[in-house]
Amino acid sequence: MSLVLVTGGAGFIGSHLTRGLLAAGYAVRILDTLSPQIHGGVPSGLDWLAQPGIEFRRGSVTSHRDLADALNGAEFVVHLAAETGTGQSMYEIAKYNDVNAQGTAVLLDILANTAQRSVRRVVLASSRSIYGEGAYVCRACSPQVRVWPGSRPAEQLRAHRWEFPCPSCGADMEAVPTREDDRISPASIYAATKYAQEQLIAISCGSLGIGFVNMRFQNVYGEGQSLQNPYTGILSIFSTRIRRGLHLPLFEDGQESRDFVHVEDVANAVIAALRSDVTAAAINVGSGIKTSVQDVAEKLSAAFGRAPDLKITSEFRLGDIRHNFADVGRLRDLLGYVPAISLDDGLKRFAAWVGTQPLPEDRSQAANAELQARKLMG
Ligand SMILES: NC(=O)c1ccc[n+]([C@@H]2O[C@H](COP(=O)([O-])OP(=O)(O)OC[C@H]3O[C@@H](n4cnc5c(N)ncnc54)[C@H](O)[C@@H]3O)[C@@H](O)[C@H]2O)c1
């Protein structure tokens, strides 16, 4: 039975991936620190780690010893362990660099310096954030020409000019699905560290002859996502507010959009990458569908059986992208995987699960206040 080391495997995506791996006949070893920001000061809800087929080790990817022990005998590595808050990464820079970039470097150091390596293949959880805004076209003057705008300047956002103006004719441009060969332009420290992970793996695994796939996840949601971490997960924040009878604040004009992909589709895509012979590839993992934040707020309210109570705040976060959704052609063509769970169905599943969980505090206002104090929000 092949052994898969899943770093960060006690987290949201890791828990679904582990279930899928066990069902597919793999043995799973998890290395996870059980970060308090994700799992709470006293980690709870982790009984599933004790089930047969799972070997759990509490430890850090930044520790050479923890990681070297965990790698022993593993044939595959799925590298999920990371700090994941985009806003938080802008003022906890050393921590994000340490866990995300340095943790990956430690992993590769061990692989490079182990003579009798068992590892054949590495799959990285990278992120759509590395694209920044992704690609746009101007339907008015040059619909065939892809343009990659930088981030929106603060003056533009203060003037509530949310969309990107075409550099040639000034009309609002339209976002198109982001391809893996589009421009890479990280707009946060988190994104920069995710791209650093990709490059470290591409260069190192490439030279060592270890197969690798860098999978760029879009906005992953679903049962089991952290309801306590105020720095990530718009659907967690919204679900807590819906349950507390609070309105849903929509930044900008609510028309900013994302690509929401259910966690089970992500887990299945990772398993497809482990099984395939595809190597040296970057592959988007998303639904391929553009959904505005207003749309998702309405659908989530409906999934909870509530009338939407939305407030467009016109607030903005510096560095936030306006739109991003994936071209999923490579996922389909290289890995033969097509996401199967629609947003409506996925949100129903998510809302049903949330209803079984303790009601968390609404910490979103405090997280926003922190960004405001640091002048990262307007
Ligand atoms: N969830 C998303 O929408 C999304 C989108 C794009 C990319 N990703 C990437 O997918 C991966 C998994 O994300 P997730 O949503 O499951 O996050 P998560 O926070 O639920 O899980 C991450 C896990 O890593 C663990 N961890 C943190 N620091 C560690 C360390 N030093 N050593 C070992 N374990 C450590 C945490 O305790 C946690 O269990 C991350 O690499 C993230 O960047 C997630």
Side-chain angles (χ1 to χ4, degrees):
M1 193 186 278
S2 297
L3 176 64
V4 184
L5 170 64
V6 183
T7 70
F12 166 46
I13 297 173
S15 62
H16 288 264
L17 174 64
T18 299
R19 191 175 314 130
L21 287 169
L22 294 177
Y26 294 93
V28 177
R29 183 181 292 149
I30 290 173
L31 178 70
D32 198 302
T33 45
L34 303 184
S35 151
Q37 188 164 299
I38 309 300
H39 300 281
V42 181
S44 58
L46 294 171
D47 298 348
W48 62 272
L49 288 171
Q51 70 187 279
I54 302 177
E55 188 190 336
F56 173 69
R57 298 190 183 181
R58 189 166 187 176
S60 175
V61 291
T62 57
S63 155
H64 190 284
R65 203 167 92 185
D66 291 351
L67 202 41
D69 284 350
L71 279 164
N72 193 18
E75 209 174 315
F76 301 99
V77 179
V78 182
H79 188 35
L80 301 178
E83 295 289 345
T84 62
T86 306
Q88 189 184 36
S89 76
M90 301 301 281
Y91 53 88
E92 299 218 15
I93 298 163
K95 181 166 93 178
Y96 275 72
N97 192 58
D98 189 38
V99 175
N100 299 2
Q102 175 68 3
T104 306
V106 172
L107 166 69
L108 296 166
D109 245 350
I110 298 166
L111 295 179
N113 292 293
T114 305
Q116 303 289 315
R117 254 194 320 271
S118 53
V119 173
R120 291 200 292 119
R121 201 164 175 73
V122 174
V123 174
L124 171 70
S126 181
S127 160
R128 61 107 181 130
S129 63
I130 68 168
Y131 296 117
E133 275 294 336
Y136 282 69
V137 297
C138 177
R139 296 280 174 220
C141 76
S142 44
Q144 308 303 329
V145 181
R146 290 170 94 77
V147 181
W148 298 278
S151 51
R152 294 167 296 172
E155 313 82 72
Q156 179 186 333
L157 296 171
R158 273 190 217 108
H160 295 184
R161 179 86 204 262
W162 308 121
E163 301 290 346
F164 285 96
C166 169
S168 304
C169 74
D172 283 351
M173 294 194 294
E174 184 183 317
V176 292
T178 309
R179 298 195 304 237
E180 290 85 349
D181 57 2
D182 272 322
R183 194 185 69 171
I184 302 294
S185 181
S188 66
I189 297 295
Y190 167 70
T193 61
K194 295 310 283 184
Y195 192 47
Q197 290 185 310
E198 280 203 19
Q199 291 182 303
L200 290 167
I201 285 179
I203 294 166
S204 180
C205 289
S207 77
L208 295 170
I210 297 174
F212 70 92
V213 180
N214 290 327
M215 305 194 85
R216 297 173 180 168
F217 301 164
Q218 290 278 336
N219 282 54
V220 188
Y221 74 97
E223 307 84 272
Q225 76 181 64
S226 174
L227 300 176
Q228 317 193 40
N229 185 351
Y231 300 100
T232 59
I234 184 177
L235 293 180
S236 295
I237 293 166
F238 281 179
S239 65
T240 298
R241 291 187 64 89
I242 291 171
R243 292 171 80 194
R244 290 190 170 275
L246 301 168
H247 73 272
L248 304 184
L250 308 185
F251 289 159
E252 305 189 6
D253 59 354
Q255 296 311 305
E256 61 275 28
S257 65
R258 300 290 183 267
D259 176 334
F260 295 94
V261 60
H262 192 269
V263 64
E264 209 168 281
D265 275 322
V266 172
N268 288 335
V270 170
I271 294 170
L274 282 185
R275 283 185 164 147
S276 85
D277 294 328
V278 171
T279 189
I283 299 181
N284 289 334
V285 181
S287 66
I289 297 168
K290 178 176 184 252
T291 304
S292 73
V293 171
Q294 179 167 343
D295 268 359
V296 85
E298 285 171 358
K299 283 174 189 288
L300 185 66
S301 303
F304 277 100
R306 305 277 178 90
D309 179 7
L310 316 180
K311 277 208 183 93
I312 293 171
T313 66
S314 304
E315 288 176 312
F316 57 86
R317 291 184 303 193
L318 286 178
D320 257 3
I321 57 159
R322 176 69 178 166
H323 304 290
N324 197 287
F325 62 115
D327 182 314
V328 287
R330 273 198 200 172
L331 179 63
R332 181 191 59 231
D333 298 343
L334 295 184
L335 299 185
Y337 192 73
V338 177
I341 301 174
S342 71
L343 186 56
D344 286 312
D345 287 349
L347 288 178
K348 276 185 204 134
R349 285 168 60 164
F350 173 65
W353 169 76
V354 168
T356 67
Q357 299 301 302
L359 178 56
E361 293 298 314
D362 170 40
R363 297 200 191 90
S364 61
Q365 300 304 322
N368 289 348
E370 207 167 328
L371 290 175
Q372 255 148 1
R374 292 170 195 276
K375 301 204 180 340
L376 293 169
M377 197 167 154

